[in-house]
Amino acid sequence: MFFFYENRNGLVAQLAEEAIKSCHALYSPTIPVGKVSLQKRKPLFTIIDDDASTHTQSILYTIAGELGFKFGSCVILDRPQNNTPVFLNWDQLRTLQSDGHEILSHTMTHAHLGLIPESQLDYELGTSRDILLQQGFVARHFVYPGGSYVKNNACEKTDTSVLNKVRNYYDSAWVINESINKGELFNNYKGLLIGFDALGTLGSAKAAVDQIFANGGWLVLMMHVFQPQWATPKNRKNYGI
Ligand SMILES: [Zn+2]
């Protein structure tokens, strides 16, 4: 199965810090651009599971416990708030956190940020962070639902109004892009995820891991453990995501 480069608490937070530091160093006046990059650093490997379904606990948490790795779980906040069946409740999320897994915000309602009025962004971003805080989770990182981070999901991705708002609340934000994060290209508000579900095979996931060991970079795999290859088709239907 999978492993992390290293097991430690707050893995996503700490790796983000390292990557962000190295990328800031890229533009530091004392370090010539291009001399420091993720390519030249040790390989970094993170797993994030989407949507915090009960399968996160029954499948991924179990595997992680057996093999000794940590993962990030991104939470749609209205699910635990409303005790929605098939999603993790507050106690289950606390169990994950107390075992060293990391909780990330994934908005209040799974809204695609590029498609909602700007006036709702504070609710989706800020209220979700604040509720996590009230419940004892320091969520410093965010995953864009549906990969939506520009207004109207425009092809022209120069619009930064969503990203600017995300910056007010989080240290990093992540979007599926099927690429490995490299120093010169790394933008911590457009951190790149490879969708393991889309990637399909264990062989292609292993190939991505081989790449970071050969060339450096930060591989962040995103998975949905409620999907059929992890759970049953019947289970997947229950989530309506
Ligand atoms: Zn999601």
Side-chain angles (χ1 to χ4, degrees):
M1 210 45 210
F2 301 109
F3 62 97
F4 282 112
Y5 173 78
E6 204 177 321
N7 297 330
R8 40 189 175 166
N9 290 346
L11 192 83
V12 177
Q14 290 185 38
L15 291 183
E17 243 165 47
E18 281 189 44
I20 291 163
K21 246 190 273 162
S22 88
C23 289
H24 284 170
L26 265 179
Y27 305 106
S28 151
T30 58
I31 301 172
V33 171
K35 292 282 182 197
V36 178
S37 77
L38 280 174
Q39 280 100 325
K40 291 177 184 160
R41 297 170 64 85
K42 60 193 178 187
L44 301 173
F45 182 18
T46 296
I47 291 174
I48 298 178
D49 183 59
D50 204 20
D51 302 326
S53 69
T54 48
H55 286 88
T56 305
Q57 190 175 51
S58 61
I59 298 175
L60 184 57
Y61 176 70
T62 307
I63 295 170
E66 282 166 14
L67 299 182
F69 65 82
K70 307 298 177 189
F71 59 87
S73 174
C74 51
V75 177
I76 309 161
L77 269 295
D78 67 359
R79 271 58 166 182
Q81 279 291 79
N82 297 322
N83 268 316
T84 309
V86 303
F87 290 91
L88 296 179
N89 62 33
W90 289 124
D91 285 342
Q92 291 166 321
L93 290 166
R94 279 192 202 96
T95 302
L96 294 190
Q97 180 173 258
S98 63
D99 263 14
H101 304 291
E102 178 154 3
I103 303 303
L104 295 85
S105 169
H106 196 40
T107 70
M108 287 300 298
T109 65
H110 210 263
H112 291 199
L113 299 185
L115 300 180
I116 60 172
E118 234 173 302
S119 57
Q120 285 176 26
L121 289 175
D122 286 308
Y123 174 68
E124 296 291 350
L125 294 163
T127 305
S128 63
R129 183 201 60 179
D130 294 344
I131 290 174
L132 280 168
L133 201 59
Q134 285 158 18
Q135 293 290 339
F137 303 95
V138 182
R140 293 172 46 205
H141 305 281
F142 177 82
V143 175
Y144 299 99
S148 176
Y149 64 91
V150 283
K151 250 190 213 162
N152 302 319
N153 293 345
C155 296
E156 178 53 62
K157 294 191 190 291
T158 51
D159 171 58
T160 55
S161 55
V162 172
L163 264 62
N164 290 341
K165 193 62 99 170
V166 175
R167 269 192 193 98
N168 291 341
Y169 296 107
Y170 299 98
D171 293 343
S172 78
W174 297 82
V175 60
I176 290 185
N177 177 280
E178 309 304 350
S179 306
I180 291 168
N181 295 280
K182 304 275 179 151
E184 286 81 0
L185 303 175
F186 184 68
N187 174 334
N188 54 305
Y189 289 95
K190 282 188 273 182
L192 307 178
L193 304 166
I194 290 186
F196 177 60
D197 312 307
L199 204 61
T201 67
L202 188 56
S204 48
K206 279 181 173 163
V209 172
D210 288 344
Q211 261 191 54
I212 57 167
F213 276 88
N215 306 317
W218 183 6
L219 167 62
V220 187
L221 279 189
M222 173 67 135
M223 58 179 65
H224 300 76
V225 283
F226 57 83
Q227 290 200 346
Q229 63 267 49
W230 299 95
T232 65
K234 181 172 162 278
N235 284 334
R236 190 187 172 190
K237 251 198 246 166
N238 292 334
Y239 295 88
I241 293 172

Short mmCIF file of all heavy atoms in Angstrom, two decimals, residues 182-212:
data_model
loop_
_atom_site.label_atom_id
_atom_site.label_comp_id
_atom_site.label_asym_id
_atom_site.label_seq_id
_atom_site.Cartn_x
_atom_site.Cartn_y
_atom_site.Cartn_z
N LYS A 182 6.47 21.21 -7.81
CA LYS A 182 7.89 21.48 -8.00
C LYS A 182 8.17 22.91 -7.56
O LYS A 182 7.31 23.77 -7.70
CB LYS A 182 8.27 21.35 -9.49
CG LYS A 182 7.92 20.02 -10.10
CD LYS A 182 9.00 19.00 -9.85
CE LYS A 182 8.60 17.68 -10.45
NZ LYS A 182 9.64 16.85 -10.87
N GLY A 183 9.37 23.14 -7.09
CA GLY A 183 9.70 24.43 -6.49
C GLY A 183 9.33 25.65 -7.30
O GLY A 183 8.61 26.52 -6.84
N GLU A 184 9.79 25.71 -8.54
CA GLU A 184 9.59 26.95 -9.31
C GLU A 184 8.12 27.19 -9.61
O GLU A 184 7.70 28.30 -9.88
CB GLU A 184 10.37 26.90 -10.64
CG GLU A 184 11.87 27.09 -10.49
CD GLU A 184 12.56 25.81 -10.08
OE1 GLU A 184 11.87 24.77 -9.91
OE2 GLU A 184 13.79 25.84 -9.88
N LEU A 185 7.35 26.12 -9.60
CA LEU A 185 5.94 26.25 -9.98
C LEU A 185 5.02 26.25 -8.78
O LEU A 185 3.83 26.48 -8.91
CB LEU A 185 5.56 25.07 -10.90
CG LEU A 185 6.38 24.92 -12.16
CD1 LEU A 185 5.99 23.65 -12.92
CD2 LEU A 185 6.19 26.13 -13.07
N PHE A 186 5.57 26.00 -7.60
CA PHE A 186 4.70 25.78 -6.45
C PHE A 186 4.03 27.07 -6.00
O PHE A 186 4.66 28.08 -5.76
CB PHE A 186 5.50 25.18 -5.29
CG PHE A 186 4.65 24.85 -4.10
CD1 PHE A 186 3.72 23.83 -4.17
CD2 PHE A 186 4.76 25.56 -2.91
CE1 PHE A 186 2.91 23.52 -3.08
CE2 PHE A 186 3.97 25.26 -1.82
CZ PHE A 186 3.04 24.23 -1.91
N ASN A 187 2.70 27.01 -5.92
CA ASN A 187 1.92 28.12 -5.40
C ASN A 187 1.08 27.53 -4.28
O ASN A 187 0.25 26.66 -4.51
CB ASN A 187 1.03 28.67 -6.52
CG ASN A 187 0.07 29.74 -6.02
OD1 ASN A 187 -0.29 29.78 -4.84
ND2 ASN A 187 -0.35 30.62 -6.92
N ASN A 188 1.30 28.01 -3.06
CA ASN A 188 0.66 27.32 -1.95
C ASN A 188 -0.84 27.55 -1.87
O ASN A 188 -1.52 26.91 -1.09
CB ASN A 188 1.35 27.62 -0.61
CG ASN A 188 1.47 29.08 -0.34
OD1 ASN A 188 2.00 29.83 -1.15
ND2 ASN A 188 0.98 29.50 0.82
N TYR A 189 -1.38 28.45 -2.69
CA TYR A 189 -2.84 28.55 -2.77
C TYR A 189 -3.40 27.82 -4.00
O TYR A 189 -4.60 27.82 -4.25
CB TYR A 189 -3.29 30.00 -2.71
CG TYR A 189 -3.07 30.50 -1.29
CD1 TYR A 189 -1.92 31.18 -0.94
CD2 TYR A 189 -3.98 30.18 -0.29
CE1 TYR A 189 -1.68 31.56 0.38
CE2 TYR A 189 -3.76 30.55 1.02
CZ TYR A 189 -2.62 31.25 1.34
OH TYR A 189 -2.39 31.60 2.65
N LYS A 190 -2.49 27.22 -4.77
CA LYS A 190 -2.90 26.31 -5.84
C LYS A 190 -2.01 25.08 -5.76
O LYS A 190 -1.39 24.67 -6.73
CB LYS A 190 -2.77 26.98 -7.21
CG LYS A 190 -3.89 27.93 -7.54
CD LYS A 190 -3.83 28.41 -8.98
CE LYS A 190 -2.94 29.63 -9.13
NZ LYS A 190 -2.88 30.13 -10.51
N GLY A 191 -1.90 24.54 -4.54
CA GLY A 191 -1.12 23.32 -4.36
C GLY A 191 -1.74 22.22 -5.22
O GLY A 191 -2.95 22.15 -5.38
N LEU A 192 -0.89 21.40 -5.81
CA LEU A 192 -1.37 20.44 -6.81
C LEU A 192 -1.60 19.05 -6.21
O LEU A 192 -0.73 18.51 -5.52
CB LEU A 192 -0.35 20.34 -7.95
CG LEU A 192 0.05 21.68 -8.59
CD1 LEU A 192 1.11 21.45 -9.66
CD2 LEU A 192 -1.16 22.39 -9.16
N LEU A 193 -2.77 18.51 -6.51
CA LEU A 193 -3.10 17.16 -6.06
C LEU A 193 -3.15 16.24 -7.27
O LEU A 193 -3.59 16.65 -8.34
CB LEU A 193 -4.49 17.15 -5.42
CG LEU A 193 -4.77 18.09 -4.25
CD1 LEU A 193 -6.28 18.16 -3.98
CD2 LEU A 193 -4.05 17.58 -3.01
N ILE A 194 -2.73 15.01 -7.07
CA ILE A 194 -2.98 13.98 -8.07
C ILE A 194 -4.13 13.14 -7.55
O ILE A 194 -4.06 12.61 -6.44
CB ILE A 194 -1.72 13.12 -8.32
CG1 ILE A 194 -0.67 13.96 -9.04
CG2 ILE A 194 -2.08 11.87 -9.13
CD1 ILE A 194 0.58 13.21 -9.47
N GLY A 195 -5.20 13.05 -8.35
CA GLY A 195 -6.37 12.27 -7.93
C GLY A 195 -6.08 10.80 -8.08
O GLY A 195 -5.92 10.31 -9.20
N PHE A 196 -5.95 10.11 -6.96
CA PHE A 196 -5.62 8.69 -7.06
C PHE A 196 -6.77 7.93 -7.70
O PHE A 196 -6.57 6.97 -8.44
CB PHE A 196 -5.29 8.11 -5.69
CG PHE A 196 -5.01 6.64 -5.75
CD1 PHE A 196 -3.96 6.17 -6.54
CD2 PHE A 196 -5.79 5.73 -5.08
CE1 PHE A 196 -3.69 4.81 -6.64
CE2 PHE A 196 -5.53 4.36 -5.17
CZ PHE A 196 -4.49 3.90 -5.95
N ASP A 197 -8.00 8.37 -7.44
CA ASP A 197 -9.14 7.68 -8.04
C ASP A 197 -9.08 7.78 -9.56
O ASP A 197 -9.33 6.84 -10.27
CB ASP A 197 -10.46 8.30 -7.56
CG ASP A 197 -10.45 8.48 -6.04
OD1 ASP A 197 -10.18 7.51 -5.34
OD2 ASP A 197 -10.71 9.61 -5.59
N ALA A 198 -8.70 8.99 -10.03
CA ALA A 198 -8.61 9.20 -11.47
C ALA A 198 -7.36 8.51 -12.03
O ALA A 198 -7.36 8.00 -13.14
CB ALA A 198 -8.55 10.69 -11.77
N LEU A 199 -6.33 8.53 -11.26
CA LEU A 199 -5.06 7.94 -11.69
C LEU A 199 -5.25 6.44 -11.94
O LEU A 199 -4.61 5.86 -12.79
CB LEU A 199 -4.02 8.16 -10.59
CG LEU A 199 -2.56 8.15 -10.97
CD1 LEU A 199 -2.25 9.25 -11.95
CD2 LEU A 199 -1.72 8.31 -9.71
N GLY A 200 -6.12 5.87 -11.19
CA GLY A 200 -6.60 4.54 -11.55
C GLY A 200 -5.87 3.35 -10.98
O GLY A 200 -6.46 2.60 -10.22
N THR A 201 -4.63 3.18 -11.31
CA THR A 201 -4.00 1.91 -10.95
C THR A 201 -2.92 2.11 -9.89
O THR A 201 -2.33 3.19 -9.77
CB THR A 201 -3.34 1.26 -12.17
OG1 THR A 201 -2.24 2.09 -12.57
CG2 THR A 201 -4.32 1.14 -13.32
N LEU A 202 -2.68 1.05 -9.18
CA LEU A 202 -1.60 1.09 -8.20
C LEU A 202 -0.27 1.33 -8.92
O LEU A 202 0.59 2.04 -8.42
CB LEU A 202 -1.56 -0.24 -7.44
CG LEU A 202 -0.63 -0.32 -6.26
CD1 LEU A 202 -0.91 0.77 -5.25
CD2 LEU A 202 -0.74 -1.70 -5.58
N GLY A 203 -0.15 0.77 -10.14
CA GLY A 203 1.08 0.95 -10.92
C GLY A 203 1.35 2.41 -11.22
O GLY A 203 2.49 2.88 -11.09
N SER A 204 0.32 3.17 -11.59
CA SER A 204 0.57 4.58 -11.93
C SER A 204 0.85 5.39 -10.66
O SER A 204 1.63 6.35 -10.70
CB SER A 204 -0.59 5.17 -12.72
OG SER A 204 -1.82 4.86 -12.12
N ALA A 205 0.23 5.00 -9.53
CA ALA A 205 0.55 5.68 -8.28
C ALA A 205 2.01 5.41 -7.90
O ALA A 205 2.73 6.32 -7.48
CB ALA A 205 -0.39 5.22 -7.17
N LYS A 206 2.42 4.17 -8.07
CA LYS A 206 3.81 3.83 -7.75
C LYS A 206 4.77 4.60 -8.66
O LYS A 206 5.83 5.04 -8.23
CB LYS A 206 4.04 2.33 -7.93
CG LYS A 206 3.57 1.50 -6.74
CD LYS A 206 3.87 0.04 -6.99
CE LYS A 206 3.57 -0.80 -5.76
NZ LYS A 206 3.47 -2.23 -6.09
N ALA A 207 4.38 4.76 -9.93
CA ALA A 207 5.24 5.50 -10.86
C ALA A 207 5.42 6.94 -10.40
O ALA A 207 6.51 7.51 -10.50
CB ALA A 207 4.64 5.46 -12.26
N ALA A 208 4.34 7.53 -9.85
CA ALA A 208 4.44 8.91 -9.35
C ALA A 208 5.37 8.95 -8.15
O ALA A 208 6.17 9.89 -7.99
CB ALA A 208 3.05 9.43 -8.98
N VAL A 209 5.30 7.94 -7.29
CA VAL A 209 6.21 7.88 -6.14
C VAL A 209 7.65 7.74 -6.63
O VAL A 209 8.56 8.43 -6.14
CB VAL A 209 5.83 6.71 -5.20
CG1 VAL A 209 6.87 6.53 -4.11
CG2 VAL A 209 4.45 6.95 -4.58
N ASP A 210 7.86 6.87 -7.62
CA ASP A 210 9.22 6.71 -8.17
C ASP A 210 9.75 8.04 -8.69
O ASP A 210 10.92 8.36 -8.53
CB ASP A 210 9.22 5.68 -9.32
CG ASP A 210 9.01 4.27 -8.80
OD1 ASP A 210 9.19 4.06 -7.58
OD2 ASP A 210 8.67 3.38 -9.61
N GLN A 211 8.85 8.81 -9.31
CA GLN A 211 9.28 10.11 -9.86
C GLN A 211 9.83 11.04 -8.79
O GLN A 211 10.84 11.71 -9.01
CB GLN A 211 8.09 10.80 -10.49
CG GLN A 211 8.01 10.65 -11.98
CD GLN A 211 6.95 11.59 -12.54
OE1 GLN A 211 6.99 12.79 -12.28
NE2 GLN A 211 6.01 11.04 -13.26
N ILE A 212 9.15 11.11 -7.63
CA ILE A 212 9.64 12.05 -6.61
C ILE A 212 10.95 11.55 -6.00
O ILE A 212 11.79 12.34 -5.58
CB ILE A 212 8.61 12.38 -5.51
CG1 ILE A 212 8.11 11.13 -4.80
CG2 ILE A 212 7.48 13.21 -6.07
CD1 ILE A 212 7.33 11.42 -3.53
#
